Structures are given as C-alpha cells and as structure tokens.
Amino acid sequence: MQDRTLTAAVTPGETVTIAGWVHELRDLGGIAFLILRDRSGHIQVKIEKETMDEDLVEAATSVARESVVSVTGMAEEEPRAPTGIEVVPEEISVVAPAEPELPLDPSGKVDAELPTRLDNRTLDLRSDRVKAIFEVRSRMLAAVRTTFREEDCTEITTPKIVATGTEGGTELFPITYFAREAFMNQSPQLFKQLVAGSSIERVFEIGPIFRAEEHNTPRHLNEATSIDFEGAFFDADAAMTMAETVVTAAYEAVATDCTEQLEALELDDFTVPEPPFPRLTYEEAIDQINALGALDVTLGWGDDLPTEAERALGEEMGDHYFITDWPSEVKPFYIKDRDDDPERSTGFDMMHPDMELISGGQREHRHEQLVHAIQEQGLDPSQFEYYHDMFRYGMPPHAGFGLGGERLLMTMLDLDNIREAVLFPRDRQRLSP
Ligand code: ATP
Ligand code: MG
C-alpha cells in the first residue's frame, strides 16, 4: 500500500495512514478505542463520537474484530494510550471485513485446541505467541545457514522423489512416478555423501524428509525439516563438534535477536547451551539408565533406548549431551564400525534432555565393506548401485549428521508438541491445510 506507515514508526505530530487488523474495539460510550495491529505492533485509534463525522464513527464502531482497516489521521502524544501515541482519524475505510464469528480468538484470551488452531492457521498466527515461534524459526534457520557457510560448507538441494529409500523399510511413502513406483525420500543421506565425495567436500542441506511413521507422538511428524551436514575428511568427533557449533549458534542468534519473541513466549530463563557437550558411550548410557532404575526391565547391549529411558537419562544429564559408540547392529549400513571393535560403531546421537535431536557418524567409505554392510542389513546392493558405485572412484573418509529442525525449535522453545513448530504439520490424520 502506498504511503502506509507501520504502527511502530508512527511519530506524534504527523498525519499518517496506517493499515492492519482490528485487534480490539473498546466502546466506552462517548468515546471508543480501536486498537489496530500490523506486523510491527499495535496502536490506538481514538473515536470521539460527539465531535467526529457520523459515518466515520459508524465505520469505526461497527467493524468486526480482525477486519482489515486503513486509517488516516493525526498522530498525537497520549500518555494513557498503550504505546503513548494515538491516532485521531480523519478517514477510516474497511479494506477487508472479517465475519463477526471467528473460529478462534487471536488475542489468545480464549484458548483453542491445537486441531482448531491448525485448521485455522492464518488466524492462529495472528497471536503474538504463535507469530513469535515462526520468527524464532526463521532466525534459527538463518543462523544455521550462516554457521555452515562460515565453516566452508556449500548448501545443496537433493531430490525428494527417489527410486529407493535411504534405508529401505516400512517408513517410506510410495508414490506413482509415471508408470513406475517411486518414494518420497526419508533422508538426503546417500545424496549428501555422494556430494561430500566430490571435491565440494563439505555440504549442508535444509529440506523436507518424509517418514511414514505409523505412530502419533508429540515429537514425530510425517513431513519434517532436516538440517543435514556431511564433510569429507571428517571423523565422528569432528562431526560432533560441528553439530555443537551449529546448535549453539542457533541458540545464540535467538538469544541475541529474538528478545521480543522470547518475551511473548514467556521464556525469561532462555539459556544458550555451552559446548563441549558431555559424551557418553552407549554402554555408559545404559549403565546409568539401569542404575537410575527408570525402567521395569534391565537394558542390555543392543537394546534401543525407550522414551522413558531417554527421559530419565536426560533429567540426570540436565542439558545437551551425546551418546556415542552405538552397537553396530542398531545403526544403518552406511555408519562405519569402529576400527578397533566391529561390534561398536562410530554412530552418535545428540540428545536434548527431552529427546533425540541428531543422529550422525562416520561413514563406511570403502567400497567392498559398504556393499557387504548393505547385504548384512538384508538390503539388495543392486538397488543402491548408483550410490556405492561412486565409492570405487576415490571416496575419502567422511562423516556427518542429520538434525531435526522442528525438534531443535521445539526443545529450544519448550513447546509441548512438535506440531507447534511447523506451520502446516503433516501427521497421521492431517493432510490439509
Ligand atoms: P526417533 O528415534 O526419535 O524416531 P530417528 O532415530 O528415527 O528418530 P533419524 O533417522 O536418526 O531419526 O533422523 C535424524 C533426526 O531427524 C532425528 O534425530 C530427529 O531430530 C529428526 N527426525 C527424524 N524423524 C523425524 C520425525 N518423524 N519427525 C520429526 N523429526 C524427525
Ligand atoms: Mg536417530
């Protein structure tokens, strides 16, 4: 809109045109206040019924909440106004009316259930709290990008429609690709390795991953945003350091640049984690879990860590930490075994006290061993030929990780449900909007 002034930029003594949503209408009898909201904040518009033009008074007092209006008038200092300034209108026009019955209350005074909020996301995003989540998300992802660039990484984009899944299995969404079956990719893993093995060496990608997880949990989505890294001449330790750097940088950027948003989210005790994060081996982790007596059963070598076990250990650890040296049998074929012990892998997870954030590791870069590892997991090497073939032509040792974008945001902002961290979540029930 031409000559529109943002509410935050309105200065007393000027005639301004402001435009935005009717946040609130307070009718006090002889006087009414219309609170107008735009992306920069709020401002009070004063309507004096006795002295102002009748049509203008009618327009201002009959408009429904959340309608879009444009107001032209003189800005004046007014200590009693919420921002110390008010606009005395000469002209008010309704740009886009809202129906009087709203499916939810964007002011947040009346709580709505998550499904109602997600069905009406545009209205939901008008609340300061929800808007703040996505401002933080944007800042967080920008910090991740900048950090990878500072670490000499190249941003890449890999296909999301693939002929075979990264790890095969049941977590794939099949689609029809002309007359053939294809799948939505569950991870850029194999592609990022193929690029790390070129002389590009260090790559990152921020993109969607698709997982046909049957279960409905507060920390799983069927379409998630994965922050992936892969670096040639990296080992697991170096990859863990990179993971710490990226996660810490994301927190720092939010702490510095999103103070207003953190306030809207009532996170006054926001703290940046301090690297290096403690590194526990898998064995140490299960020993600790068993010692805590958090489960009815005793965990043994090769067991996955149940959610309650992760919780109990997380509570004990108190902040981010790594679990390293996972049993080779529970990690995918592309994870390299330790040179000193083939039962143990170089695979690691970065944990937030509440849940897993990252899985990573050094990769098997030797062609013969890789083909063998694919077979060992009951997969058909010929299906992965496009991938392992390239390992015959000078594939350096390399390592990397995948970090769940929504999990990072969710844990950073202490959100109860991962669906809060994505605009239009895809889950077992939800396919629109
Ligand atoms: P989990 O055991 O928690 O289901 P995973 O081990 O299956 O996770 P990975 O394949 O290791 O997940 O993926 C790397 C990271 O991507 C995870 O640590 C997590 O942050 C994120 N991620 C994976 N699957 C999902 C999902 N369905 N929804 C949201 N984030 C996910
Ligand atoms: Mg994992």
Side-chain angles (χ1 to χ4, degrees):
M1 248 185 198
Q2 260 184 337
D3 299 330
R4 175 185 172 219
T5 303
L6 285 175
T7 57
V10 170
T11 30
E14 284 175 0
T15 296
V16 291
T17 297
I18 51 177
W21 291 261
V22 177
H23 187 62
E24 215 183 312
L25 199 61
R26 259 181 285 150
D27 201 330
L28 308 176
I31 196 165
F33 296 109
L34 183 158
I35 310 296
L36 182 142
R37 182 186 75 239
D38 64 14
R39 69 174 197 278
S40 71
H42 307 90
I43 202 161
Q44 174 169 300
V45 178
K46 179 172 70 181
I47 296 118
E48 283 170 318
K49 295 187 187 169
E50 303 300 316
T51 57
M52 284 182 182
D53 176 74
E54 218 170 283
D55 290 345
L56 188 144
V57 172
E58 173 62 18
T61 54
S62 63
V63 68
R65 275 178 60 207
E66 295 304 316
S67 297
V68 177
V69 296
S70 168
V71 177
T72 301
M74 178 60 82
E76 291 176 1
E77 236 169 278
E78 172 50 70
R80 287 167 296 178
T83 60
I85 304 172
E86 68 182 7
V87 173
V88 182
E90 284 141 30
E91 207 182 307
I92 296 184
S93 60
V94 178
V95 178
E99 290 182 15
E101 288 289 325
L102 298 172
L104 59 84
D105 173 19
S107 79
K109 280 179 196 145
V110 185
D111 280 338
E113 299 289 335
L114 188 57
T116 308
R117 292 178 38 209
L118 296 175
D119 285 342
N120 301 280
R121 207 46 155 156
T122 302
L123 291 176
D124 186 43
L125 283 161
R126 289 180 190 171
S127 88
D128 288 341
R129 186 182 167 276
V130 180
K131 188 179 158 197
I133 294 173
F134 293 95
E135 278 298 326
V136 171
R137 182 179 162 118
S138 175
R139 185 66 194 92
M140 175 190 94
L141 291 179
V144 166
R145 278 204 168 82
T146 309
T147 308
F148 278 129
R149 292 297 288 155
E150 284 167 3
E151 297 287 339
D152 210 14
C153 303
T154 303
E155 181 162 12
I156 59 167
T157 311
T158 61
K160 304 308 158 202
I161 302 176
V162 294
T164 43
T166 304
E167 291 158 47
T170 53
E171 284 189 359
L172 285 168
F173 283 114
I175 59 163
T176 304
Y177 191 69
F178 303 106
R180 293 155 66 188
E181 184 178 58
F183 303 96
M184 303 302 293
N185 205 6
Q186 61 198 149
S187 154
Q189 180 63 35
L190 308 185
F191 293 109
K192 67 178 178 173
Q193 285 187 257
L194 290 175
V195 188
S198 75
S199 53
I200 293 181
E201 289 195 25
R202 296 180 178 197
V203 298
F204 74 102
E205 175 166 5
I206 302 177
I209 55 169
F210 303 90
R211 308 251 170 137
E213 325 240 13
E214 293 280 336
H215 44 288
N216 237 332
T217 80
R219 62 200 166 90
H220 287 96
L221 294 162
N222 294 111
E223 178 176 350
T225 310
S226 186
I227 299 167
D228 272 272
F229 164 76
E230 201 68 26
F233 307 104
F234 271 69
D235 61 11
D237 274 328
M240 283 190 268
T241 303
M242 180 70 91
E244 275 167 359
T245 304
V246 168
V247 168
T248 309
Y251 268 85
E252 269 167 1
V254 171
T256 310
D257 297 339
C258 299
T259 44
E260 209 178 290
Q261 285 77 19
L262 294 175
E263 211 170 289
L265 290 157
E266 295 172 32
L267 294 172
D268 14 287
D269 56 349
F270 188 84
T271 46
V272 179
E274 265 181 56
F277 303 162
R279 298 178 184 189
L280 294 184
T281 65
Y282 166 85
E283 250 179 325
E284 288 166 345
I286 55 173
D287 284 350
Q288 275 220 36
I289 292 162
N290 289 335
L292 287 166
L295 302 174
D296 299 338
V297 292
T298 304
L299 291 178
W301 178 260
D303 288 337
D304 241 322
L305 306 188
T307 310
E308 318 88 82
E310 280 181 10
R311 283 274 158 70
L313 184 56
E315 212 165 291
E316 190 72 8
M317 299 301 292
D319 209 332
H320 295 74
Y321 64 100
F322 287 100
I323 303 178
T324 67
D325 299 85
W326 283 79
S328 304
E329 61 188 89
V330 306
K331 285 290 172 187
F333 66 78
Y334 48 82
I335 298 280
K336 194 171 183 291
D337 296 341
R338 284 183 62 108
D339 290 328
D340 56 356
D341 181 358
E343 295 297 306
R344 279 159 229 267
S345 76
T346 61
F348 64 80
D349 284 358
M350 184 202 282
M351 309 295 297
H352 176 274
D354 295 337
M355 73 193 75
E356 177 191 317
L357 286 185
I358 290 182
S359 281
Q362 186 174 339
R363 318 308 186 183
E364 179 53 76
H365 67 284
R366 299 161 300 181
H367 181 255
E368 219 169 288
Q369 283 86 341
L370 179 62
V371 173
H372 182 69
I374 294 173
Q375 274 164 341
E376 286 254 288
Q377 286 203 353
L379 297 168
D380 176 5
S382 71
Q383 296 230 309
F384 296 93
E385 207 164 306
Y386 72 92
Y387 164 71
H388 63 68
D389 234 21
M390 292 299 124
F391 286 61
R392 295 160 59 201
Y393 309 113
M395 182 62 71
H398 58 285
F401 61 80
L403 159 62
E406 286 81 16
R407 291 220 185 148
L408 178 59
L409 185 62
M410 175 189 184
T411 50
M412 183 184 279
L413 300 183
D414 199 18
L415 306 174
D416 294 336
N417 194 313
I418 197 165
R419 291 159 184 79
E420 295 264 13
V422 56
L423 284 171
F424 302 107
R426 289 291 169 263
D427 65 24
R428 193 71 201 279
Q429 279 80 34
R430 187 168 289 275
L431 198 50
S432 72

